[in-house]
Amino acid sequence: QKEVEQNSGPLSVPEGAIASLNCTYSDRGSQSFFWYRQYSGKSPELIMFIYSNGDKEDGRFTAQLNKASQYVSLLIRDSQPSDSATYLCAVKVSNNQGGKLIFGQGTELSVKP
Amino acid sequence: DTEVTQTPKHLVMGMTNKKSLKCEQHMGHRAMYWYKQKAKKPPELMFVYSYEKLSINESVPSRFSPECPNSSLLNLHLHALQPEDSALYLCASSQVSGGAGDTQYFGPGTRLTVL
């Protein structure tokens, strides 16, 4: 069983729509959850982190965390073609100095003009 | 400032060569990481340094040798690599706060090709 699971996609949405990216994790002790965006050939870029149950909003991005369901999601409102990228969900392993991250396989998002 | 720098951007080397990748951060972070990323795959952790000491080695072959000369610098020495080692090598850093929000910031990576 994979520790962090994401749908690989591709997820295709029209410009201006809401893109919903989902991630589940297996370690119930996980404390911190991160979303990174990675353009083709580039390095991962942090979008948001969340560690409390509920929603966290930053501009067009909203991260949602439900620890009981071991589920974290990222919503992108008013999607733009420039949002087309692979989105990586990462979970910080509990009780580990230095913070080992476990990455999901990534979801490829395509925003069509 | 959340900048992590890496040099070189691209590296082509033969299987008998010795080369080094360099990473630098000036954010006062005390944890630094090396990742390897193959195409269409997520980053794969190789090494973690915490307070300049190696804290995690993910069973990486000895042809990869990390070094942390000081809190701002991280090197990865390469020797006798194989073609399958060709990948994007990513450096990251984070505060070693122990808190839940300890966030890793990635450098731009070094694209390595082994011939």
Side-chain angles (χ1 to χ4, degrees):
Chain A
Q1 182 185 2
K2 292 183 182 177
E3 295 182 65
V4 179
E5 294 203 43
Q6 296 180 254
N7 290 329
S8 60
L11 173 65
S12 183
V13 301
E15 184 174 357
I18 296 175
S20 178
L21 305 163
N22 304 316
C23 175
T24 58
Y25 60 95
S26 59
D27 182 358
R28 218 168 249 288
S30 299
Q31 298 178 331
S32 308
F33 308 87
F34 303 85
W35 284 100
Y36 288 87
R37 176 175 63 196
Q38 188 170 26
Y39 293 111
S40 181
K42 301 295 186 182
S43 65
E45 172 192 9
L46 180 72
I47 297 176
M48 294 186 72
F49 69 86
I50 186 168
Y51 48 86
S52 299
N53 275 329
D55 294 0
K56 180 180 179 182
E57 186 175 319
D58 184 2
R60 295 187 296 113
F61 299 95
T62 299
Q64 299 175 317
L65 175 61
N66 184 326
K67 289 187 178 181
S69 300
Q70 294 174 248
Y71 175 90
V72 58
S73 66
L74 180 70
L75 300 178
I76 307 174
R77 289 182 299 281
D78 188 23
S79 295
Q80 301 296 309
S82 58
D83 294 325
S84 298
T86 296
Y87 288 80
L88 295 163
C89 172
V91 176
K92 181 181 173 184
V93 174
S94 55
N95 301 322
N96 199 329
Q97 185 180 22
K100 178 177 176 178
L101 288 181
I102 305 297
F103 284 89
Q105 291 296 306
T107 297
E108 184 181 348
L109 173 65
S110 177
V111 181
K112 304 295 186 184
Chain B
D1 184 7
T2 57
E3 187 175 341
V4 178
T5 59
Q6 290 186 244
T7 55
K9 291 183 180 179
H10 302 275
L11 178 63
V12 179
M13 60 186 291
M15 289 189 284
T16 58
N17 292 157
K18 287 184 181 181
K19 297 287 184 182
S20 296
L21 309 184
K22 296 185 185 301
C23 174
E24 189 167 5
Q25 58 86 15
H26 293 289
M27 296 178 278
H29 289 173
R30 302 309 300 270
M32 297 185 76
Y33 310 77
W34 280 116
Y35 289 86
K36 172 183 177 180
Q37 188 176 26
K38 304 281 271 186
K40 303 288 188 185
K41 296 291 186 182
E44 180 183 337
L45 183 66
M46 300 174 72
F47 303 103
V48 180
Y49 274 83
S50 179
Y51 292 95
E52 297 139 62
K53 289 187 174 8
L54 183 65
S55 60
I56 297 177
N57 177 340
E58 292 287 284
S59 302
V60 178
S62 60
R63 58 185 183 269
F64 295 91
S65 176
E67 178 196 19
C68 189
N70 60 56
S71 61
S72 301
L73 292 174
L74 185 66
N75 298 322
L76 186 63
H77 303 298
L78 314 173
H79 173 54
L81 295 192
Q82 304 297 309
E84 59 265 29
D85 296 322
S86 298
L88 180 67
Y89 287 83
L90 295 162
C91 174
S93 71
S94 71
Q95 298 178 2
V96 184
S97 64
D102 189 21
T103 302
Q104 292 185 27
Y105 296 94
F106 285 86
T110 293
R111 177 73 60 186
L112 174 67
T113 303
V114 182
L115 301 176

